[in-house]
Amino acid sequence: MTTTFERQSVTSTTQGGLNDRSLGWLRFLWDKATTDDDWSDQGEPHQWWDRYSEPPMCSFPRFDLAMVGYVLPMMLEATPAWREGYTRILDEIARRYVTFWGAIDWNTLIGPDPGVDKYPPEWLMVAPEHLRGRYSLPGWTGNGIEPWGLQPDPVGCDGNLFYRGWLNLLLSMRHYVSGQPTQHVAFDVSGYQNRQFSWTHQRIAQFISDQLTARPQGAHCENTKIWPFCMSAAGLGLKLYDSLLHTSLNEPFLDWIAFAKKHYMGRDRRGRIDWVALYYDPIENATMAFPGPLNAYSALCLLHYLYPQDPQLAIDLYESATRQLGWSNPKVPVVQLADDPQMLSNALWMAREIGDTTTWERLRAVSESQFEPRYFGKDNSRFAYWLDRGESWPRGQLNATMMMIECAAPGAWSRVFTSPNTTMYTEPTVCDIDYPLIGIRRTHNDIERRVLEIDTYAATPSRRGTATTFTVDNLPDRAHVSLHIDGRACETWRRSDAGAVAIDVGADTHQIRLTYS
Amino acid sequence: MADAALRTLLWLLGQCIARGSRYMPSLRSQITRTMTFELSAGERVARHWVFDAQLRRATTYSGHASAPDCAVHINSSWQALRALVSPVTVDKIVRGLHEGTVELHGSAFVLLWFHGLTRKFVKLGRPDGPRHRIPGAYIAHDPAACGAETIVIEPAVVRLDPTWTGAWKARSTLSTVRACTDEPMLEP
């Protein structure tokens, strides 16, 4: 395994397609998603699912599931005509999400936290100063405590917003990527003592929205903490749901933003944000905010979720955070106060989004030199940031955000939520492709000229050249078709249906041009 | 002059924390690891604290520790004094880190934890947060807050079902549980 920089210089674009890093990460995502493992109470997830990062609040494998798919709707900008591979990955993620291990915190961290005075000092720092040593830390969900009682359904409960909020976001992304309106399809969620609870995507989204309407402070995650971070993710899931289904479930979240600006953050005399709550406990009436510049971390974790919903607030938070940490100041070195690469990756992503080249270049230099970007696996066909820690697998949560930088042009993440490309569902589409034998780097539908362009590559280099077949459907019925591969006219296609053709090709780098009329 | 003043301040903080660890539950409950913390300034002032997790006690000594788990060195006693008596101590320390006048060996979170201990005795400034009670608290279940859904609620419990052995086994692998056993863990 070697560190490889020469294969990478620019990030993905719609015109150029997915870059090598994105393709390598996609290949590893495929491995993770399609390799069977047991997420029941009798098993244990494969160790490559990240249940280590961001303790104590995010060190559960669900957070890997929740975040790892973010790149997939963004990748659609480069490959709008190939979606089935991404859909398969999201299906495998969603299948795990609703298992015992998906909700292991709500299902097993029952009752009062027995470790309040046993956690390491570093962890005690995420409790409000006056409560340290006698207060349940973030991550201890405390299902079963008074006054809430035992609520066995991980979705249908007063707390646990971070479960259903990200589930809704995941299902909304799955809807967008697949184009399949499955919001009324019932599925089971595994709860306390393995009891199964039936839900639909529509009911979850409506339930979240109703809770936000009734609870202006926001819904709880752990008993009893309200996190701007989780609220923002829940709001984002609702926003995508609204964009796809023309509902207005996100509206109460916008009201919550107004509430949060007033109660969960403060500004200095110059109007700059100078503190943000990490969380608020309504029973203790306690706000957790890191002191001094470390407070920036509470702001950085919100950026991905708020930027598509309230761009100006996200920019204010970003500017506040990078100023406090000195990351935007070229006169001082980039100091990472916390041993938490995810915060730097969040800032790096935002710097790129808003064109803050000074901060981008400073932070990018850090990520390239310290986050150990490298290809790995058979034929070096997988890619991830390894963090130079000698671990067996790359961290899912960090890579989920770092790869958002690699996989699409700036603005792609916001466009997923504000202007999703729903016309792609009716345009010519690549399907039945034998991924990962052959992969898709780029597709482009030129509707006016009636041309579908497809750039392929050998996703499994050791099988390069192997003959394979894929289909293009959504073509006009009985369309006249001509095929060019690498600039040469080809007859290696046949009509497989009235509106579909099958194309034979070798698994390799090809530029395929399908003209139909 | 600054050296003497800083020595006195550190001695005072040292005694407060050490004596407080004998009888203050809110301080003892935070001594969860056996570790050494050192604070030094210039070339002549240093003090360290030894925290004993078994006894939940702290002791303090003048001078450098042989192998501190977390050590902060500030360029001058004057700078250290200004930082320690400021209501924005953390801001000043971080500014020093940026300017290269403060060196930190170890976790910034441990430094903040120690700073929190000192604030039990000398509380300068106040934690960030709203200066008012936040309205609209939801502190008891309300069926009207669930839209068309009904939440299943059973009597409160204090621990995971003892007979659910699979869940106990799975839970034991979680960082949240392992962190209480003194196993080294990642920072937040």
Side-chain angles (χ1 to χ4, degrees):
Chain A
M1 295 196 282
T2 54
T3 302
T4 312
F5 292 111
E6 57 269 24
R7 286 169 67 179
Q8 171 63 43
S9 57
V10 295
T11 55
S12 305
T13 62
T14 304
Q15 295 75 25
L18 298 173
N19 67 4
D20 286 350
R21 286 185 173 186
S22 299
L23 297 176
W25 176 242
L26 178 65
R27 184 69 182 83
F28 182 54
L29 263 188
W30 180 269
D31 290 342
K32 285 177 71 167
T34 61
T35 300
D36 205 23
D37 55 355
D38 185 356
W39 285 55
S40 77
D41 65 341
Q42 300 302 307
E44 190 168 349
H46 192 293
Q47 63 171 308
W48 57 25
W49 293 106
D50 183 357
R51 50 182 155 129
Y52 322 103
S53 299
E54 309 282 323
M57 47 276 193
C58 296
S59 50
F60 304 98
R62 176 177 75 252
F63 283 92
D64 195 352
L65 298 179
M67 296 174 183
V68 79
Y70 290 171
V71 294
L72 299 173
M74 299 171 74
M75 286 179 169
L76 289 181
E77 291 211 340
T79 69
W82 185 61
R83 304 183 296 277
E84 65 179 6
Y86 309 155
T87 302
R88 168 76 190 280
I89 291 171
L90 289 169
D91 281 343
E92 298 289 351
I93 290 171
R95 177 175 64 79
R96 290 177 171 89
Y97 199 105
V98 295
T99 62
F100 162 81
W101 269 92
I104 189 169
D105 44 351
W106 192 254
N107 286 337
T108 71
L109 302 179
I110 302 293
D113 183 354
V116 289
D117 59 352
K118 297 185 181 71
Y119 293 112
E122 302 94 306
W123 286 29
L124 293 177
M125 277 307 302
V126 294
E129 187 178 285
H130 66 289
L131 296 173
R132 280 174 205 152
R134 61 183 180 90
Y135 181 70
S136 297
L137 280 199
W140 185 274
T141 45
N143 184 14
I145 66 168
E146 296 283 10
W148 310 107
L150 183 68
Q151 303 191 1
D153 181 350
V155 174
C157 48
D158 284 306
N160 215 19
L161 174 72
F162 56 178
Y163 182 83
R164 62 182 166 277
W166 263 287
L167 176 56
N168 180 52
L169 179 57
L170 172 61
L171 294 174
S172 296
M173 289 196 299
R174 197 270 177 198
H175 182 159
Y176 176 46
V177 167
S178 69
Q180 298 161 3
T182 55
Q183 68 271 19
H184 297 298
V185 175
F187 55 86
D188 283 346
V189 176
S190 190
Y192 189 61
Q193 294 167 319
N194 287 330
R195 280 181 268 178
Q196 301 297 302
F197 298 90
S198 182
W199 283 91
T200 66
H201 184 194
Q202 185 276 331
R203 282 177 53 214
I204 291 174
Q206 185 68 55
F207 179 50
I208 293 170
S209 185
D210 289 340
Q211 282 191 322
L212 299 194
T213 301
R215 296 160 64 174
Q217 287 189 345
H220 312 152
C221 289
E222 301 94 337
N223 287 330
T224 306
K225 297 175 178 64
I226 298 163
W227 294 74
F229 173 54
C230 307
M231 281 293 298
S232 302
L236 194 60
L238 294 176
K239 184 169 181 66
L240 184 53
Y241 189 92
D242 285 347
S243 294
L244 297 170
L245 289 160
H246 311 293
T247 51
S248 55
L249 300 181
N250 180 254
E251 280 182 6
F253 176 75
L254 302 180
D255 294 336
W256 179 85
I257 287 184
F259 186 95
K261 286 177 180 175
K262 191 172 177 184
H263 301 293
Y264 296 148
M265 57 189 74
R267 292 180 184 260
D268 62 19
R269 291 173 190 162
R270 297 166 67 178
R272 303 177 305 190
I273 292 172
D274 66 352
W275 67 267
V276 181
L278 186 65
Y279 60 84
Y280 171 69
D281 183 327
I283 290 180
E284 295 284 353
N285 186 32
T287 300
M288 172 58 211
F290 288 119
L294 268 91
N295 192 263
Y297 290 103
S298 303
L300 291 175
C301 67
L302 304 178
L303 299 179
H304 292 103
Y305 306 105
L306 280 180
Y307 190 51
Q309 302 185 85
D310 188 334
Q312 189 55 54
L313 177 58
I315 290 169
D316 290 351
L317 289 165
Y318 164 80
E319 289 179 344
S320 158
T322 53
R323 175 178 49 80
Q324 288 179 321
L325 292 168
W327 290 355
S328 56
N329 181 357
K331 294 178 182 169
V332 301
V334 175
V335 174
Q336 296 184 73
L337 297 172
D339 183 19
D340 184 354
Q342 188 130 17
M343 293 303 113
L344 188 137
S345 87
N346 291 353
L348 181 62
W349 172 82
M350 189 70 176
R352 180 170 177 265
E353 289 296 293
I354 64 172
D356 177 0
T357 52
T358 301
T359 306
W360 159 261
E361 286 170 6
R362 282 162 54 78
L363 301 186
R364 184 68 163 171
V366 172
S367 70
E368 288 297 297
S369 61
Q370 296 181 19
F371 288 6
E372 198 190 359
R374 67 175 161 87
Y375 293 87
F376 64 101
K378 190 176 182 187
D379 305 317
N380 267 350
S381 59
R382 282 80 165 167
F383 173 83
Y385 292 87
W386 284 75
L387 296 177
D388 225 359
R389 290 184 175 170
E391 294 173 335
S392 302
W393 301 102
R395 292 280 180 82
Q397 294 182 47
L398 169 78
N399 277 280
T401 50
M402 281 302 293
M403 293 311 299
M404 291 172 74
I405 295 160
E406 301 288 349
C407 74
W413 177 245
S414 289
R415 285 190 289 274
V416 168
F417 302 93
T418 58
S419 52
N421 173 15
T422 53
T423 60
M424 63 188 171
Y425 306 138
T426 56
E427 294 172 351
T429 296
V430 176
C431 54
D432 302 331
I433 199 161
D434 190 5
Y435 184 86
L437 171 64
I438 185 171
I440 304 291
R441 181 185 293 273
R442 184 189 73 98
T443 71
H444 174 64
N445 261 310
D446 187 333
I447 299 301
E448 285 189 8
R449 292 165 55 218
R450 299 200 149 206
V451 175
L452 170 62
E453 297 169 356
I454 308 163
D455 292 355
T456 66
Y457 68 100
T460 303
S462 61
R463 299 182 64 195
R464 188 186 304 277
T466 304
T468 186
T469 302
F470 65 86
T471 301
V472 174
D473 64 10
N474 277 350
L475 293 166
D477 277 2
R478 304 286 165 192
H480 174 74
V481 169
S482 66
L483 178 69
H484 287 76
I485 299 180
D486 300 329
R488 291 192 301 272
C490 285
E491 296 300 323
T492 57
W493 65 274
R494 60 191 174 280
R495 201 174 301 280
S496 55
D497 201 349
V501 296
I503 296 173
D504 300 323
V505 69
D508 209 336
T509 301
H510 293 297
Q511 291 185 319
I512 298 170
R513 184 182 170 91
L514 183 74
T515 307
Y516 53 92
S517 57
Chain B
M1 178 65 181
D3 285 351
L6 181 61
R7 266 195 211 100
T8 305
L9 177 61
L10 293 182
W11 177 85
L12 186 63
L13 283 176
Q15 295 304 316
C16 285
I17 292 174
R19 289 170 191 243
S21 71
R22 295 181 190 172
Y23 61 86
M24 289 174 64
S26 66
L27 196 148
R28 292 171 59 84
S29 65
Q30 293 190 52
I31 302 175
T32 58
R33 293 293 180 274
T34 296
M35 58 176 289
T36 304
F37 177 85
E38 178 183 295
L39 200 160
S40 60
E43 296 185 354
R44 289 189 291 275
V45 182
R47 177 163 287 275
H48 64 277
W49 287 257
V50 177
F51 295 95
D52 184 327
Q54 291 292 321
L55 300 175
R56 302 227 177 226
R57 287 281 294 273
T59 49
T60 181
Y61 305 92
S62 178
H64 291 280
S66 56
D69 298 283
C70 182
V72 187
H73 179 76
I74 302 173
N75 257 12
S76 71
S77 294
W78 181 234
Q79 184 185 356
L81 270 174
R82 275 188 301 179
L84 292 174
V85 301
S86 166
V88 288
T89 301
V90 177
D91 297 66
K92 289 188 180 297
I93 294 291
V94 171
R95 192 174 307 138
L97 287 169
H98 285 146
E99 293 168 350
T101 57
V102 173
E103 289 176 49
L104 172 65
H105 300 283
S107 166
F109 281 92
V110 171
L111 170 59
L112 289 178
W113 164 80
F114 180 80
H115 178 239
L117 297 187
T118 67
R119 284 174 54 80
K120 294 210 166 287
F121 305 98
V122 186
K123 192 166 275 191
L124 297 172
R126 63 183 296 282
D128 287 324
R131 287 164 167 71
H132 55 275
R133 188 173 189 95
I134 298 178
Y138 181 82
I139 52 176
H141 173 69
D142 177 1
C146 307
E149 302 296 340
T150 301
I151 291 178
V152 177
I153 300 181
E154 297 170 0
V157 294
V158 295
R159 65 197 290 241
L160 176 63
D161 176 359
T163 66
W164 194 10
T165 53
W168 279 97
K169 183 180 174 192
R171 188 178 104 150
S172 69
T173 68
L174 297 177
S175 297
T176 303
V177 174
R178 288 158 48 203
C180 296
T181 66
D182 208 15
E183 182 178 338
M185 285 286 146
L186 293 171
E187 281 187 0

